[in-house]
Every structure is written in C-alpha cells, then in structure tokens.
Amino acid sequence: MANNATAQGPAQRLDAIDLLRGLVMVVMLLDHTRDYVHEGGYWSDPLDPATSNPLLYATRWITHLCAPTFVLLAGASTGIQALRGVSRPDLTRFLWTRGLWLVFLELTVVRTLVWFNWNLSMLAQLQVIWAIGCSMLVLSVLIRLPMRVVGGIGLCLVAGHNLLDLVQVPTWHGPEAATPTFLQVLWMVMHQGGSFPVGTWPAPVVWAMYPVLPWLGLMAVGYAFAGILALEPARCRRALLGLGLGMLASFFVLRLGHFYGDPIAWSQQATTTQTIMSFLNVQKYGPSLQYV
C-alpha cells in the first residue's frame, strides 16, 4: 500500500499517516482537558507517583505519544514528498514558509489562547508548534543532503543529545535572579529549556518548554523514515515491527539499568503500581532518548 501510494503521485495520500495524526489529536485533547477541568491540574504533576493515581496518571502519560508522533510524521511527510519527486527548491520553499508560519502562530495565536490575555509579562511559551516550525526551518537546509545522511544526523541528535545534559546554565527564576547571557539563552532554547526575560528586568519573559535540538533530531529521523514507508507493503510491515520491538527492548534495557538516556531516575515506591508509574515517568521537556 505504501509503495503503491508513492508510485501514484502527490495526489495520493497515505491514509495511515492521516489516521495516526487524527488519533493523537484526540489523545492530546485528553491532556489539555485535564489541565483546565481537574482541580489543581495545571499546576500539579499527574505523573508524580506519590500524589497521583493510576487513572489520572494515564491521562497524562498517554499523551507522551503525541508530540513525537506529530514531529516524526512532519519529517516523514516531507520525505515522502521528496521521494515523489517534488523539486528541492519547492520543498525548501514549503518548509521555510511553513516553519515561519508555525513560529508566528506560536508567538501570537497559540500564546493568546493559552493565556487568554495580552499581558506581555509572559511573552511566550515556546511549545510544540514552535519546535516543529524551527525544525522545519533547519530541515529546509538539511534536505540538500542525501536522505540517509539526514537520517544519520537525526539519529545522532536523538541518541546523543543527553550527553549535553552535563552542561547546565542557570535559568531565570524572578527579578532577584541575574539576567541570562545571550549564550545561556541560546542554550536554553536549543537544548536545556528554561525561562528568561527578553532584556533587562522588568521585561517580557519567555519560557522555552520545547528546546529545538532533540525535536529537530526526531524530525530528521522522520524524513529518512519515509524511505521505510515507501517499501513494498510486506517489507514495510516487517521493518516497522522490527523497529518497534527493538526500540521497546532498548527502552527497558536502558531504563532497568539506570543507564544513559534520561535524567529522571526511577525508584522503588510503596506499591507495585507506584513503582511502575515511576519507571514509566521519563523526561519530555526536552525529550530524552528514553522518552522518544
């Protein structure tokens, strides 16, 4: 099916991709609904085994599937267009304009809908729309390279960015804190995450929730992932099954051994259920290797 769709030209869509996108949109709605209707939901942590319960925990944990799916499939859609023969200039133009548009929406429309006011003391939360937009801007340059090279760059970023956790800069916590330097702000935006004022206080504050580097890596992997989706259907299914099982096995090995790949260590809790909750609680901001 994937091979046939690729061969029939740009008018033919891959229904599985649209179906999966729609599914994760519905799942994401669950998390956003909990934020606004559960008492204390926006400020408490539903993933904390000590204070949460399994059902509340599940409403948050299941949404961990959403952002990686959006980003991976954004890269895959671009890769499919490349395989279908869309010219490099046209693809670059698409990524560049779409990326700028998404960044603009994050800083205006999304920001307004989240805060319901124009008080610019909180200028912006740089979230998933921002991360996808920035990643598209960078991908518009990377697509000049062979698809396997882009995929290799993406794998290096996804698998290796946690090595950068060794470098931590002080995030801004209020007027009494020192204003971060330009390089510290750049580090927060690209890898660490954190908040910072835009200028000398009092100044508008930006909260970089989705640092760009790991999400860029995932989008680059998605771009190369299109090559798997273009395989003959039986080969595609075997490849996807093998990748899925291999990644799950890798997660359990890394997680059980407290090995590399996530700064949040799991621990034995008072009950088995709470221990499982601790085991599955991995870092999303920014996304760790184990999270992905």
Side-chain angles (χ1 to χ4, degrees):
M1 290 180 293
N3 189 49
N4 292 340
T6 302
Q8 292 177 15
Q12 181 71 31
R13 297 184 65 87
L14 296 181
D15 291 340
I17 290 180
D18 290 334
L19 178 64
L20 190 55
R21 280 175 170 156
L23 176 62
V24 295
M25 285 180 187
V26 173
V27 172
M28 196 70 244
L29 182 63
L30 175 66
D31 185 46
H32 288 179
T33 302
R34 177 190 48 75
D35 280 342
Y36 289 102
V37 303
H38 177 253
E39 183 178 5
Y42 196 72
W43 303 111
S44 62
D45 183 7
L47 294 177
D48 184 352
T51 59
S52 187
N53 62 70
L55 289 178
L56 180 61
Y57 180 98
T59 64
R60 174 58 174 166
W61 183 88
I62 191 65
T63 62
H64 279 356
L65 301 173
C66 297
T69 301
F70 290 138
V71 176
L72 184 80
L73 293 184
S77 297
T78 305
I80 289 170
Q81 292 184 69
L83 292 174
R84 286 176 170 172
V86 176
S87 69
R88 187 174 296 166
D90 286 344
L91 203 52
T92 297
R93 189 179 308 110
F94 167 79
L95 289 169
W96 182 255
T97 55
R98 180 64 62 89
L100 286 176
W101 177 241
L102 290 177
V103 170
F104 172 77
L105 288 178
E106 182 74 85
L107 298 177
T108 54
V109 177
V110 176
R111 177 239 173 268
T112 303
L113 292 176
V114 168
W115 294 101
F116 291 100
N117 65 57
W118 279 99
N119 181 358
L120 296 183
S121 60
M122 173 56 76
L123 179 61
Q125 284 179 302
L126 305 182
Q127 300 189 74
V128 66
I129 303 299
W130 148 273
I132 293 175
C134 289
S135 298
M136 283 184 167
L137 293 175
V138 179
L139 188 61
S140 71
V141 177
L142 291 180
I143 61 171
R144 299 178 181 276
L145 301 171
M147 182 171 282
R148 289 187 177 183
V149 174
V150 176
I153 292 172
L155 284 174
C156 287
L157 290 175
V158 170
H161 79 91
N162 283 121
L163 293 172
L164 302 176
D165 293 343
L166 297 173
V167 179
Q168 295 289 314
V169 300
T171 186
W172 187 82
H173 291 292
E176 70 284 354
T179 301
T181 66
F182 171 77
L183 289 179
Q184 289 173 334
V185 168
L186 183 62
W187 190 248
M188 282 187 270
V189 169
M190 294 303 296
H191 174 70
Q192 178 182 309
S195 58
F196 53 89
V198 182
T200 304
W201 182 260
V205 176
V206 172
W207 183 10
M209 295 180 64
Y210 279 70
V212 173
L213 206 58
W215 296 109
L216 168 61
L218 190 56
M219 185 174 289
V221 169
Y223 178 74
F225 181 65
I228 295 177
L229 298 179
L231 293 173
E232 184 272 333
R235 290 183 62 199
C236 178
R237 284 192 292 269
R238 287 196 299 271
L240 292 176
L241 180 62
L243 282 171
L245 293 174
M247 291 172 69
L248 287 173
S250 298
F251 167 78
F252 281 103
V253 169
L254 290 171
R255 196 70 177 150
L256 281 170
H258 292 283
F259 294 140
Y260 167 82
D262 196 281
I264 303 175
W266 69 279
S267 60
Q268 192 75 28
Q269 302 290 314
T271 67
T272 300
T273 299
Q274 288 177 319
T275 299
I276 293 172
M277 291 163 65
S278 175
F279 183 82
L280 294 176
N281 182 21
V282 288
Q283 179 174 280
K284 178 179 181 180
Y285 306 106
S288 69
L289 171 62
Q290 291 182 22
Y291 169 87
V292 173

